[in-house]
Amino acid sequence: MTNNEDYIIELLQDTCLVTKAQIEEAKTSAKPGQSIVEVLISKEIVSRVDVLRALAAHASMEYVDLAQMAISQEVIDIVPVDVARRYKVIPIAHVEMGLMMATSDPLNFDTFDAVTHMIGRDVEWVCAAPDQIQAALQKYYGIEETAPGGDVLIGEGGAEEADAPIIKLVTMLLLEAYKMRASDIHLEPLEKSFRVRFRVDGVLHEMQSPPKKLQHAIVSRLKIMTGSMSIAEKRLPQDGRIQVKIGKSQLDLRVSTIPTNHGESVVMRILDKTGLQLGLPQLGFLSDDQATFEQLLQLPDGIILVTGPTGSGKSTTLYACLNYINRPDRKIITVEDPVEYQMNGINQVQVNADVGMTFPMALRSMLRQAPNIIMIGEIRDMETASIAINASLTGHLVFSTLHTNDAPSAVARLVDIGVQRFLVSSAVRAIVAQRLVRRLCPKCKVPHELTDAELRGLRLERSQLESATVMKGVGCDACRKLGYKGRLGIFEIFLIDDEVRHMINEGASTVELRRRARELGMRTLREDGVRKVLSGMTTAEEVISATMSDAN
């Protein structure tokens, strides 16, 4: 029952269910905090059913007897268990306008709006007694009534008790992914199974799959948790976001669904905010490259580009850079699509093309905010590149990313999208290419002798191994028998000096620029990887696999 008690009492009097004298008597005998309507019901002056019928009639709702109804499983499946439990509603039947739904609170318009939004259908509301609603919840969903809830809160030792099996299953799935340090969760509908895979340190691992029959319920539960995705829409891709609290940690999950032949495929990207606190050594920079990179971060203006394919850790590197230079005397603004991590002290702008907030529009507006440092999620077109370059030439330090295989190729990429060469040479200060390789588990790594094939792959002579500490992981409980735990970057840093600027202006090819970069001391991705193999940080297999394009 809602708190509109004065309204309900007035309605009961208008419909001649109670008299003014009875109401006054109930007010006199009511205990502190006791509802007048409940007093009237307890004194049997009016029945609860009479009250509900009066409210339903006033709200133009039909009053129904759920005990006399048989509801099909097809109708029950439309409304997920946690929606029915949270809002105490029962779907009854398909009707012309959408779905008939029963409630015991015909004045709770917030419930009507919320449920209609969550199931993505029009609803014809009817009224039923609360005990019949509860009995129907038990009969069709197999649950006991509990306090409203449903948000995933995962404690230090495991999931909180959840009445609904689907809620508990999804909660345990997220907890297990967190414990395994997964970067994303893949839920894939196959013909006869619902496959679950976790990506850990860049490698997919198949997990125990839930029964195929729970596929729809699991996907619906995840959509509801986002608060923005429609459980009724199964034909179009959707995107959303979930926040999950695990112990004292707060995780953000980016959720993406896409329809397939056997149902909706779901991928959840886990954004762990602890990654924001990474320093340059944790990223994988060795001391000499770290010193070079720290000098770049002190520049007053210019563009620093981080390049690499999708999943190579570019965003993590940019966030670590911002974390390194984030001080009270600097104003930092980012333009991202989407904003992956919220950072304290930094103004972050979310691109939203649906309302006209494009990268170029956000950037133009951002420059009027007088920032010192700008981070652009990705330079993807001429307009974005032009604004970034103009910003760098007017006294701003700009960080951004490009999709190229190596550092020197970024120059050709900028020219290809329409940036004039003299602007590239004037604005760009350095280009950093990177890849991610798995880090050996510190608990179980042991000395290892490289094979002849590994030596050839790394272009090493055995004589070069005299002072090396080559290791391999044998697997332990700490790394779940994988031999690896976490990832680190391998880098090539291309510094733009005066001669390189002249070469860019003269139209030098990528091969010529790469040759000059090598003369300046730039190590290739593979060469940096080799250093980390010889330092016992990763394995030859990882470096060779990650740098196949660098083989020549």
Side-chain angles (χ1 to χ4, degrees), residues 368-424:
R368 292 193 285 271
Q369 298 284 312
N372 304 106
I373 297 159
I374 296 169
M375 191 269 270
I376 305 169
E378 180 186 349
I379 293 178
R380 55 182 70 178
D381 54 42
M382 175 58 188
E383 195 171 6
T384 304
S386 296
I387 297 171
I389 286 173
N390 288 335
S392 73
L393 296 176
T394 53
H396 302 86
L397 183 60
V398 180
F399 295 91
S400 191
T401 70
L402 273 179
H403 285 273
T404 63
N405 284 332
D406 61 9
S409 298
V411 173
R413 172 66 179 144
L414 289 172
V415 173
D416 286 344
I417 63 177
V419 182
Q420 294 182 328
R421 287 183 170 273
F422 78 91
L423 290 175
V424 176

Short mmCIF file of all heavy atoms in Angstrom, two decimals, residues 368-424:
data_model
loop_
_atom_site.label_atom_id
_atom_site.label_comp_id
_atom_site.label_asym_id
_atom_site.label_seq_id
_atom_site.Cartn_x
_atom_site.Cartn_y
_atom_site.Cartn_z
N ARG A 368 37.68 25.75 -25.24
CA ARG A 368 37.22 26.99 -24.60
C ARG A 368 37.24 26.89 -23.08
O ARG A 368 37.01 27.87 -22.38
CB ARG A 368 35.80 27.33 -25.09
CG ARG A 368 35.75 27.71 -26.57
CD ARG A 368 34.43 28.34 -26.94
NE ARG A 368 33.37 27.36 -27.05
CZ ARG A 368 33.05 26.70 -28.16
NH1 ARG A 368 33.75 26.93 -29.27
NH2 ARG A 368 32.06 25.84 -28.19
N GLN A 369 37.53 25.68 -22.56
CA GLN A 369 37.64 25.48 -21.12
C GLN A 369 39.06 25.74 -20.59
O GLN A 369 39.34 25.50 -19.42
CB GLN A 369 37.23 24.05 -20.76
CG GLN A 369 35.78 23.72 -21.10
CD GLN A 369 34.82 24.32 -20.11
OE1 GLN A 369 35.01 24.20 -18.91
NE2 GLN A 369 33.78 24.96 -20.61
N ALA A 370 39.95 26.18 -21.46
CA ALA A 370 41.32 26.55 -21.10
C ALA A 370 42.07 25.43 -20.38
O ALA A 370 42.61 25.63 -19.29
CB ALA A 370 41.33 27.82 -20.25
N PRO A 371 42.16 24.22 -20.98
CA PRO A 371 42.93 23.15 -20.34
C PRO A 371 44.42 23.30 -20.60
O PRO A 371 44.84 23.97 -21.55
CB PRO A 371 42.39 21.89 -21.03
CG PRO A 371 42.04 22.37 -22.41
CD PRO A 371 41.55 23.78 -22.25
N ASN A 372 45.24 22.66 -19.77
CA ASN A 372 46.67 22.55 -20.04
C ASN A 372 46.96 21.28 -20.85
O ASN A 372 47.84 21.28 -21.72
CB ASN A 372 47.48 22.49 -18.74
CG ASN A 372 47.22 23.67 -17.83
OD1 ASN A 372 46.55 23.56 -16.83
ND2 ASN A 372 47.74 24.83 -18.22
N ILE A 373 46.24 20.22 -20.52
CA ILE A 373 46.51 18.91 -21.10
C ILE A 373 45.21 18.31 -21.62
O ILE A 373 44.16 18.40 -20.96
CB ILE A 373 47.15 17.97 -20.05
CG1 ILE A 373 48.51 18.53 -19.62
CG2 ILE A 373 47.29 16.55 -20.60
CD1 ILE A 373 48.98 18.01 -18.29
N ILE A 374 45.27 17.72 -22.79
CA ILE A 374 44.09 17.14 -23.45
C ILE A 374 44.38 15.68 -23.78
O ILE A 374 45.48 15.35 -24.26
CB ILE A 374 43.75 17.90 -24.75
CG1 ILE A 374 43.37 19.35 -24.45
CG2 ILE A 374 42.63 17.20 -25.52
CD1 ILE A 374 43.29 20.23 -25.68
N MET A 375 43.41 14.82 -23.52
CA MET A 375 43.53 13.44 -23.97
C MET A 375 42.35 13.13 -24.89
O MET A 375 41.19 13.32 -24.52
CB MET A 375 43.54 12.46 -22.79
CG MET A 375 43.93 11.03 -23.18
SD MET A 375 42.56 9.98 -23.64
CE MET A 375 42.14 9.27 -22.05
N ILE A 376 42.65 12.68 -26.10
CA ILE A 376 41.63 12.31 -27.08
C ILE A 376 41.69 10.80 -27.23
O ILE A 376 42.74 10.24 -27.54
CB ILE A 376 41.90 12.98 -28.44
CG1 ILE A 376 42.01 14.50 -28.27
CG2 ILE A 376 40.82 12.62 -29.44
CD1 ILE A 376 42.52 15.21 -29.51
N GLY A 377 40.56 10.14 -26.99
CA GLY A 377 40.55 8.67 -27.02
C GLY A 377 41.18 8.09 -28.26
O GLY A 377 41.96 7.14 -28.18
N GLU A 378 40.87 8.65 -29.43
CA GLU A 378 41.45 8.13 -30.68
C GLU A 378 41.33 9.19 -31.76
O GLU A 378 40.29 9.85 -31.88
CB GLU A 378 40.70 6.87 -31.12
CG GLU A 378 41.24 6.26 -32.40
CD GLU A 378 40.39 5.10 -32.90
OE1 GLU A 378 39.52 4.63 -32.15
OE2 GLU A 378 40.60 4.68 -34.06
N ILE A 379 42.37 9.37 -32.54
CA ILE A 379 42.30 10.22 -33.74
C ILE A 379 41.81 9.33 -34.89
O ILE A 379 42.53 8.42 -35.32
CB ILE A 379 43.66 10.86 -34.07
CG1 ILE A 379 44.03 11.86 -32.97
CG2 ILE A 379 43.62 11.55 -35.42
CD1 ILE A 379 45.38 12.53 -33.16
N ARG A 380 40.58 9.60 -35.34
CA ARG A 380 39.99 8.69 -36.32
C ARG A 380 39.60 9.36 -37.63
O ARG A 380 39.18 8.69 -38.56
CB ARG A 380 38.76 8.00 -35.71
CG ARG A 380 37.72 8.95 -35.16
CD ARG A 380 36.55 8.19 -34.53
NE ARG A 380 36.96 7.54 -33.29
CZ ARG A 380 36.13 6.84 -32.52
NH1 ARG A 380 34.87 6.71 -32.87
NH2 ARG A 380 36.55 6.29 -31.40
N ASP A 381 39.70 10.70 -37.70
CA ASP A 381 39.34 11.38 -38.95
C ASP A 381 40.08 12.71 -39.03
O ASP A 381 40.73 13.15 -38.08
CB ASP A 381 37.83 11.59 -39.06
CG ASP A 381 37.24 12.32 -37.86
OD1 ASP A 381 37.87 13.27 -37.37
OD2 ASP A 381 36.16 11.91 -37.39
N MET A 382 39.95 13.36 -40.19
CA MET A 382 40.68 14.60 -40.45
C MET A 382 40.27 15.72 -39.49
O MET A 382 41.11 16.47 -38.99
CB MET A 382 40.41 15.03 -41.90
CG MET A 382 41.02 16.37 -42.27
SD MET A 382 42.81 16.40 -42.05
CE MET A 382 43.16 18.12 -42.34
N GLU A 383 38.97 15.80 -39.19
CA GLU A 383 38.50 16.88 -38.33
C GLU A 383 39.08 16.77 -36.93
O GLU A 383 39.55 17.75 -36.34
CB GLU A 383 36.97 16.88 -38.29
CG GLU A 383 36.38 18.16 -37.74
CD GLU A 383 34.88 18.24 -37.91
OE1 GLU A 383 34.28 17.23 -38.35
OE2 GLU A 383 34.30 19.28 -37.57
N THR A 384 39.05 15.55 -36.39
CA THR A 384 39.62 15.34 -35.05
C THR A 384 41.12 15.62 -35.05
O THR A 384 41.65 16.26 -34.14
CB THR A 384 39.36 13.89 -34.60
OG1 THR A 384 37.97 13.62 -34.66
CG2 THR A 384 39.84 13.67 -33.18
N ALA A 385 41.82 15.13 -36.09
CA ALA A 385 43.26 15.35 -36.19
C ALA A 385 43.60 16.83 -36.27
O ALA A 385 44.54 17.30 -35.61
CB ALA A 385 43.82 14.61 -37.40
N SER A 386 42.82 17.59 -37.05
CA SER A 386 43.10 19.02 -37.19
C SER A 386 42.96 19.76 -35.88
O SER A 386 43.80 20.60 -35.52
CB SER A 386 42.13 19.63 -38.23
OG SER A 386 42.35 19.09 -39.50
N ILE A 387 41.89 19.45 -35.14
CA ILE A 387 41.68 20.14 -33.86
C ILE A 387 42.80 19.77 -32.88
O ILE A 387 43.32 20.61 -32.14
CB ILE A 387 40.31 19.78 -33.28
CG1 ILE A 387 39.20 20.27 -34.22
CG2 ILE A 387 40.13 20.39 -31.90
CD1 ILE A 387 37.82 19.78 -33.86
N ALA A 388 43.20 18.47 -32.87
CA ALA A 388 44.27 18.03 -31.97
C ALA A 388 45.57 18.76 -32.30
O ALA A 388 46.30 19.21 -31.40
CB ALA A 388 44.46 16.52 -32.09
N ILE A 389 45.87 18.87 -33.59
CA ILE A 389 47.12 19.53 -34.00
C ILE A 389 47.08 21.02 -33.68
O ILE A 389 48.05 21.59 -33.15
CB ILE A 389 47.38 19.28 -35.50
CG1 ILE A 389 47.84 17.83 -35.69
CG2 ILE A 389 48.41 20.25 -36.05
CD1 ILE A 389 47.96 17.40 -37.12
N ASN A 390 45.95 21.67 -33.96
CA ASN A 390 45.83 23.09 -33.63
C ASN A 390 45.98 23.32 -32.13
O ASN A 390 46.60 24.30 -31.69
CB ASN A 390 44.49 23.64 -34.11
CG ASN A 390 44.44 23.77 -35.63
OD1 ASN A 390 45.49 23.91 -36.27
ND2 ASN A 390 43.25 23.71 -36.20
N ALA A 391 45.41 22.40 -31.33
CA ALA A 391 45.56 22.53 -29.88
C ALA A 391 47.01 22.42 -29.46
O ALA A 391 47.49 23.17 -28.61
CB ALA A 391 44.72 21.45 -29.19
N SER A 392 47.73 21.47 -30.06
CA SER A 392 49.14 21.28 -29.69
C SER A 392 49.98 22.49 -30.09
O SER A 392 50.96 22.82 -29.42
CB SER A 392 49.68 20.01 -30.35
OG SER A 392 49.86 20.19 -31.73
N LEU A 393 49.61 23.13 -31.20
CA LEU A 393 50.39 24.28 -31.68
C LEU A 393 50.05 25.57 -30.94
O LEU A 393 50.71 26.58 -31.15
CB LEU A 393 50.15 24.46 -33.18
CG LEU A 393 50.64 23.31 -34.08
CD1 LEU A 393 50.27 23.57 -35.53
CD2 LEU A 393 52.15 23.12 -33.94
N THR A 394 48.99 25.51 -30.11
CA THR A 394 48.62 26.71 -29.33
C THR A 394 48.88 26.50 -27.85
O THR A 394 48.18 27.09 -27.01
CB THR A 394 47.14 27.06 -29.57
OG1 THR A 394 46.32 25.90 -29.31
CG2 THR A 394 46.92 27.52 -31.00
N GLY A 395 49.85 25.63 -27.54
CA GLY A 395 50.32 25.54 -26.16
C GLY A 395 49.70 24.46 -25.31
O GLY A 395 49.79 24.52 -24.09
N HIS A 396 49.09 23.45 -25.93
CA HIS A 396 48.50 22.35 -25.16
C HIS A 396 49.30 21.06 -25.39
O HIS A 396 49.77 20.80 -26.50
CB HIS A 396 47.05 22.10 -25.58
CG HIS A 396 46.16 23.28 -25.43
ND1 HIS A 396 46.05 24.25 -26.42
CD2 HIS A 396 45.35 23.68 -24.42
CE1 HIS A 396 45.19 25.18 -26.02
NE2 HIS A 396 44.75 24.86 -24.81
N LEU A 397 49.41 20.26 -24.34
CA LEU A 397 50.00 18.93 -24.47
C LEU A 397 48.85 17.96 -24.74
O LEU A 397 47.88 17.89 -23.97
CB LEU A 397 50.73 18.53 -23.20
CG LEU A 397 51.46 17.17 -23.22
CD1 LEU A 397 52.52 17.13 -24.31
CD2 LEU A 397 52.10 16.89 -21.86
N VAL A 398 48.95 17.23 -25.85
CA VAL A 398 47.85 16.39 -26.32
C VAL A 398 48.29 14.93 -26.34
O VAL A 398 49.35 14.61 -26.91
CB VAL A 398 47.37 16.81 -27.74
CG1 VAL A 398 46.23 15.91 -28.21
CG2 VAL A 398 46.95 18.27 -27.75
N PHE A 399 47.48 14.06 -25.74
CA PHE A 399 47.70 12.61 -25.81
C PHE A 399 46.59 11.99 -26.63
O PHE A 399 45.41 12.34 -26.47
CB PHE A 399 47.68 11.98 -24.41
CG PHE A 399 48.79 12.44 -23.50
CD1 PHE A 399 48.62 13.53 -22.67
CD2 PHE A 399 50.01 11.77 -23.48
CE1 PHE A 399 49.64 13.95 -21.83
CE2 PHE A 399 51.03 12.18 -22.65
CZ PHE A 399 50.84 13.28 -21.82
N SER A 400 46.96 11.02 -27.48
CA SER A 400 45.92 10.33 -28.23
C SER A 400 46.47 9.00 -28.75
O SER A 400 47.64 8.65 -28.52
CB SER A 400 45.42 11.17 -29.41
OG SER A 400 44.25 10.59 -29.97
N THR A 401 45.60 8.24 -29.42
CA THR A 401 45.99 6.93 -29.96
C THR A 401 45.69 6.85 -31.45
O THR A 401 44.84 7.59 -31.98
CB THR A 401 45.23 5.78 -29.25
OG1 THR A 401 43.85 5.82 -29.63
CG2 THR A 401 45.36 5.88 -27.75
N LEU A 402 46.40 5.94 -32.10
CA LEU A 402 46.17 5.61 -33.52
C LEU A 402 46.28 4.09 -33.67
O LEU A 402 46.99 3.43 -32.91
CB LEU A 402 47.23 6.26 -34.41
CG LEU A 402 47.01 7.69 -34.92
CD1 LEU A 402 48.22 8.09 -35.76
CD2 LEU A 402 45.75 7.81 -35.75
N HIS A 403 45.59 3.57 -34.67
CA HIS A 403 45.71 2.14 -34.95
C HIS A 403 46.75 1.94 -36.05
O HIS A 403 46.45 2.00 -37.24
CB HIS A 403 44.35 1.57 -35.40
CG HIS A 403 43.39 1.38 -34.29
ND1 HIS A 403 43.33 0.25 -33.52
CD2 HIS A 403 42.45 2.22 -33.78
CE1 HIS A 403 42.40 0.37 -32.59
NE2 HIS A 403 41.85 1.57 -32.74
N THR A 404 48.00 1.73 -35.65
CA THR A 404 49.06 1.38 -36.61
C THR A 404 49.91 0.28 -35.99
O THR A 404 49.92 0.09 -34.77
CB THR A 404 49.97 2.59 -36.95
OG1 THR A 404 50.64 3.01 -35.76
CG2 THR A 404 49.17 3.74 -37.51
N ASN A 405 50.63 -0.45 -36.84
CA ASN A 405 51.42 -1.59 -36.36
C ASN A 405 52.69 -1.18 -35.65
O ASN A 405 53.17 -1.89 -34.76
CB ASN A 405 51.75 -2.53 -37.52
CG ASN A 405 50.55 -3.37 -37.93
OD1 ASN A 405 49.68 -3.65 -37.11
ND2 ASN A 405 50.50 -3.73 -39.19
N ASP A 406 53.30 -0.07 -36.07
CA ASP A 406 54.55 0.36 -35.44
C ASP A 406 54.55 1.88 -35.33
O ASP A 406 53.64 2.57 -35.80
CB ASP A 406 55.78 -0.15 -36.20
CG ASP A 406 55.84 0.37 -37.63
OD1 ASP A 406 55.04 1.25 -37.98
OD2 ASP A 406 56.70 -0.10 -38.39
N ALA A 407 55.58 2.42 -34.69
CA ALA A 407 55.61 3.86 -34.43
C ALA A 407 55.80 4.70 -35.71
O ALA A 407 55.02 5.63 -35.95
CB ALA A 407 56.71 4.17 -33.41
N PRO A 408 56.79 4.41 -36.57
CA PRO A 408 56.97 5.26 -37.76
C PRO A 408 55.76 5.28 -38.69
O PRO A 408 55.53 6.26 -39.39
CB PRO A 408 58.19 4.62 -38.45
CG PRO A 408 58.96 3.96 -37.34
CD PRO A 408 57.90 3.45 -36.43
N SER A 409 54.95 4.20 -38.70
CA SER A 409 53.78 4.16 -39.58
C SER A 409 52.72 5.19 -39.20
O SER A 409 51.84 5.50 -40.01
CB SER A 409 53.14 2.76 -39.54
OG SER A 409 54.03 1.79 -40.02
N ALA A 410 52.80 5.72 -37.98
CA ALA A 410 51.80 6.71 -37.56
C ALA A 410 51.88 7.98 -38.40
O ALA A 410 50.85 8.64 -38.62
CB ALA A 410 52.00 7.03 -36.07
N VAL A 411 53.07 8.32 -38.85
CA VAL A 411 53.21 9.51 -39.70
C VAL A 411 52.42 9.33 -40.99
O VAL A 411 51.63 10.21 -41.40
CB VAL A 411 54.70 9.79 -40.01
CG1 VAL A 411 54.84 10.91 -41.03
CG2 VAL A 411 55.46 10.11 -38.73
N ALA A 412 52.60 8.18 -41.65
CA ALA A 412 51.88 7.91 -42.89
C ALA A 412 50.37 7.86 -42.64
O ALA A 412 49.58 8.31 -43.48
CB ALA A 412 52.35 6.59 -43.50
N ARG A 413 49.97 7.35 -41.49
CA ARG A 413 48.54 7.27 -41.15
C ARG A 413 47.92 8.65 -41.05
O ARG A 413 46.83 8.91 -41.57
CB ARG A 413 48.37 6.50 -39.84
CG ARG A 413 46.97 6.48 -39.29
CD ARG A 413 46.02 5.72 -40.17
NE ARG A 413 44.68 5.71 -39.61
CZ ARG A 413 43.57 5.76 -40.31
NH1 ARG A 413 43.64 5.80 -41.63
NH2 ARG A 413 42.39 5.74 -39.74
N LEU A 414 48.61 9.58 -40.39
CA LEU A 414 48.10 10.95 -40.27
C LEU A 414 48.02 11.63 -41.64
O LEU A 414 47.05 12.34 -41.93
CB LEU A 414 49.00 11.77 -39.33
CG LEU A 414 48.91 11.41 -37.84
CD1 LEU A 414 49.98 12.15 -37.06
CD2 LEU A 414 47.53 11.72 -37.28
N VAL A 415 49.02 11.40 -42.46
CA VAL A 415 49.00 11.98 -43.82
C VAL A 415 47.85 11.37 -44.63
O VAL A 415 47.16 12.08 -45.37
CB VAL A 415 50.35 11.75 -44.52
CG1 VAL A 415 50.29 12.18 -45.99
CG2 VAL A 415 51.46 12.52 -43.79
N ASP A 416 47.62 10.08 -44.46
CA ASP A 416 46.55 9.41 -45.20
C ASP A 416 45.17 9.99 -44.87
O ASP A 416 44.29 10.04 -45.74
CB ASP A 416 46.54 7.90 -44.90
CG ASP A 416 47.69 7.18 -45.58
OD1 ASP A 416 48.29 7.77 -46.51
OD2 ASP A 416 47.99 6.04 -45.18
N ILE A 417 44.96 10.39 -43.62
CA ILE A 417 43.63 10.91 -43.28
C ILE A 417 43.51 12.40 -43.60
O ILE A 417 42.47 13.00 -43.33
CB ILE A 417 43.27 10.66 -41.80
CG1 ILE A 417 44.22 11.38 -40.85
CG2 ILE A 417 43.21 9.19 -41.50
CD1 ILE A 417 43.83 11.20 -39.37
N GLY A 418 44.58 12.99 -44.18
CA GLY A 418 44.47 14.34 -44.72
C GLY A 418 45.27 15.42 -44.02
O GLY A 418 45.18 16.59 -44.40
N VAL A 419 46.07 15.08 -43.03
CA VAL A 419 46.87 16.09 -42.33
C VAL A 419 48.09 16.45 -43.19
O VAL A 419 48.78 15.56 -43.70
CB VAL A 419 47.33 15.58 -40.94
CG1 VAL A 419 48.12 16.67 -40.22
CG2 VAL A 419 46.13 15.15 -40.11
N GLN A 420 48.35 17.71 -43.35
CA GLN A 420 49.50 18.13 -44.14
C GLN A 420 50.79 17.80 -43.41
O GLN A 420 50.87 17.87 -42.18
CB GLN A 420 49.43 19.64 -44.43
CG GLN A 420 48.25 20.02 -45.31
CD GLN A 420 48.23 21.50 -45.62
OE1 GLN A 420 48.67 22.32 -44.80
NE2 GLN A 420 47.74 21.86 -46.79
N ARG A 421 51.80 17.44 -44.18
CA ARG A 421 53.05 16.96 -43.60
C ARG A 421 53.71 17.99 -42.66
O ARG A 421 54.24 17.63 -41.62
CB ARG A 421 54.03 16.57 -44.70
CG ARG A 421 53.65 15.26 -45.39
CD ARG A 421 54.68 14.86 -46.44
NE ARG A 421 54.42 13.49 -46.91
CZ ARG A 421 54.87 12.39 -46.32
NH1 ARG A 421 55.63 12.51 -45.24
NH2 ARG A 421 54.59 11.21 -46.78
N PHE A 422 53.65 19.26 -43.04
CA PHE A 422 54.33 20.25 -42.18
C PHE A 422 53.63 20.37 -40.82
O PHE A 422 54.26 20.70 -39.82
CB PHE A 422 54.41 21.61 -42.89
CG PHE A 422 53.14 22.42 -42.88
CD1 PHE A 422 52.90 23.33 -41.86
CD2 PHE A 422 52.19 22.27 -43.88
CE1 PHE A 422 51.74 24.09 -41.85
CE2 PHE A 422 51.03 23.01 -43.87
CZ PHE A 422 50.79 23.93 -42.85
N LEU A 423 52.31 20.08 -40.80
CA LEU A 423 51.61 20.10 -39.52
C LEU A 423 51.98 18.89 -38.67
O LEU A 423 52.12 18.99 -37.45
CB LEU A 423 50.10 20.14 -39.75
CG LEU A 423 49.54 21.45 -40.31
CD1 LEU A 423 48.05 21.32 -40.61
CD2 LEU A 423 49.79 22.61 -39.34
N VAL A 424 52.13 17.73 -39.32
CA VAL A 424 52.57 16.53 -38.59
C VAL A 424 53.93 16.77 -37.96
O VAL A 424 54.15 16.52 -36.77
CB VAL A 424 52.61 15.31 -39.52
CG1 VAL A 424 53.17 14.09 -38.77
CG2 VAL A 424 51.24 14.99 -40.09
#
